[in-house]
Amino acid sequence: MNDISAQAATLQWNDQGLVPAIAQDWQTGEVLMLAWMNREALELTVREGRAIYWSRSRGALWRKGEESGNVQHLKELRIDCDADTVLMKVEQVGDIACHTGRRSCFYQRLENGEWQVTDPVLKDPQTLYGKS
Amino acid sequence: MNDISAQAATLQWNDQGLVPAIAQDWQTGEVLMLAWMNREALELTVREGRAIYWSRSRGALWRKGEESGNVQHLKELRIDCDADTVLMKVEQVGDIACHTGRRSCFYQRLENGEWQVTDPVLKDPQTLYGKS
């Protein structure tokens, strides 16, 4: 899976030129995070074999793990029936996808009408981003 | 998990008042689909214990399975660190989440630079929607 430019053209990019991209652990199936990709991010993801998103807050490409080292190696890339969502199976370096230092970003579960934190912080974010 | 109205208020709804919602098989971990929810859809999902989305194309609530019978029973509801994405673990009635009659909507995988269909149609969509 190298040249993606023709395939990228077939996706249904939204008004901002983006599609949601889900990252799923390729072995456990755990959903790690959802972020966004523009066409360049998708093409680079395939070309470099690692998840590269578009940061909406920073308005820039976001090479996942560029600061933390927690790169997501691409194992498989899928699109859905409407071609408006990307699903990646990834190998999560460091076992931490979330900027809070947790394995997955989906660490809050609804229990008795409240969001409960279910997953532990594996690494202090200060350490994760080299700011300690 | 019954009263969600207070919790729903804390989500980061986008400009259209929506968040992406991922449905994942609660047992296999397979990602079945991604659709959208507005606040009412999320509240009804929790209240009725089944996935209810907002159909952007129809501009209406979409009780998943209302036509096909392939309801998604809610087993677990999570949000991510930014509170702008919902993850549901569901029991997929009929083993078919996709309107094409496939188990998952993510049935196209990038192989050698092309989208390849990897999953079989389990049931003819014409039959699925009672139009045969």
Side-chain angles (χ1 to χ4, degrees):
Chain A
M1 48 183 186
N2 291 308
D3 185 19
I4 171 82
S5 51
Q7 276 58 44
T10 66
L11 264 67
Q12 301 299 308
W13 307 96
N14 73 8
D15 291 347
Q16 291 85 48
L18 304 174
V19 293
I22 303 164
Q24 181 181 30
D25 186 286
W26 74 304
Q27 289 183 311
T28 67
E30 187 176 8
V31 175
L32 302 175
M33 58 182 284
L34 179 144
W36 296 79
M37 288 185 178
N38 63 6
R39 185 167 164 175
E40 186 183 9
L42 177 62
E43 293 185 12
L44 287 171
T45 291
V46 173
R47 202 166 299 143
E48 300 187 13
R50 58 178 283 191
I52 298 175
Y53 303 100
W54 176 259
S55 167
R56 296 178 302 171
S57 56
R58 287 188 285 127
L61 285 173
W62 167 28
R63 284 181 161 75
K64 175 68 183 168
E66 61 194 341
E67 285 185 69
S68 63
N70 292 341
V71 169
Q72 295 174 332
H73 294 300
L74 183 65
K75 295 293 186 179
E76 190 176 298
L77 184 72
R78 290 178 173 268
I79 54 168
D80 70 350
C81 50
D82 297 325
D84 62 3
T85 304
V86 167
L87 174 64
M88 290 180 294
K89 300 199 180 177
V90 302
E91 180 187 0
Q92 177 62 64
V93 172
D95 270 348
I96 295 175
C98 186
H99 76 288
T100 64
R102 294 180 175 88
R103 179 162 173 71
S104 163
C105 292
F106 294 94
Y107 58 82
Q108 297 170 87
R109 184 170 61 196
L110 190 67
E111 290 178 11
N112 302 316
E114 307 220 335
W115 302 118
Q116 300 288 345
V117 172
T118 57
D119 303 316
V121 172
L122 301 178
K123 198 169 176 181
D124 187 317
Q126 297 275 323
T127 312
L128 203 57
Y129 295 98
K131 289 171 188 160
S132 63
Chain B
M1 49 182 187
N2 291 309
D3 186 19
I4 170 83
S5 51
Q7 277 58 43
T10 66
L11 264 66
Q12 301 300 308
W13 307 96
N14 73 8
D15 291 347
Q16 289 85 48
L18 304 174
V19 294
I22 303 164
Q24 180 181 29
D25 186 288
W26 74 302
Q27 288 183 311
T28 67
E30 186 176 9
V31 175
L32 301 175
M33 58 183 283
L34 180 144
W36 296 79
M37 286 184 179
N38 62 7
R39 185 169 164 173
E40 186 183 8
L42 177 62
E43 293 185 12
L44 287 171
T45 291
V46 173
R47 202 165 300 144
E48 300 186 12
R50 58 178 283 193
I52 298 175
Y53 303 99
W54 177 258
S55 168
R56 296 177 302 170
S57 56
R58 287 188 284 126
L61 285 172
W62 167 28
R63 286 182 158 75
K64 175 67 183 169
E66 61 194 341
E67 286 186 68
S68 64
N70 292 341
V71 168
Q72 294 174 333
H73 294 300
L74 183 65
K75 295 292 186 177
E76 189 176 299
L77 183 72
R78 291 178 173 270
I79 53 169
D80 70 351
C81 50
D82 297 325
D84 63 3
T85 304
V86 167
L87 174 65
M88 290 179 294
K89 300 200 181 178
V90 301
E91 180 187 1
Q92 176 63 64
V93 172
D95 270 348
I96 295 176
C98 186
H99 75 288
T100 63
R102 294 180 175 87
R103 178 160 173 73
S104 162
C105 291
F106 294 94
Y107 59 82
Q108 297 170 87
R109 184 168 63 195
L110 190 66
E111 290 179 10
N112 302 316
E114 307 218 336
W115 302 118
Q116 299 288 345
V117 173
T118 57
D119 303 315
V121 171
L122 301 178
K123 197 169 176 182
D124 186 318
Q126 297 275 322
T127 313
L128 203 57
Y129 295 98
K131 291 172 187 159
S132 63

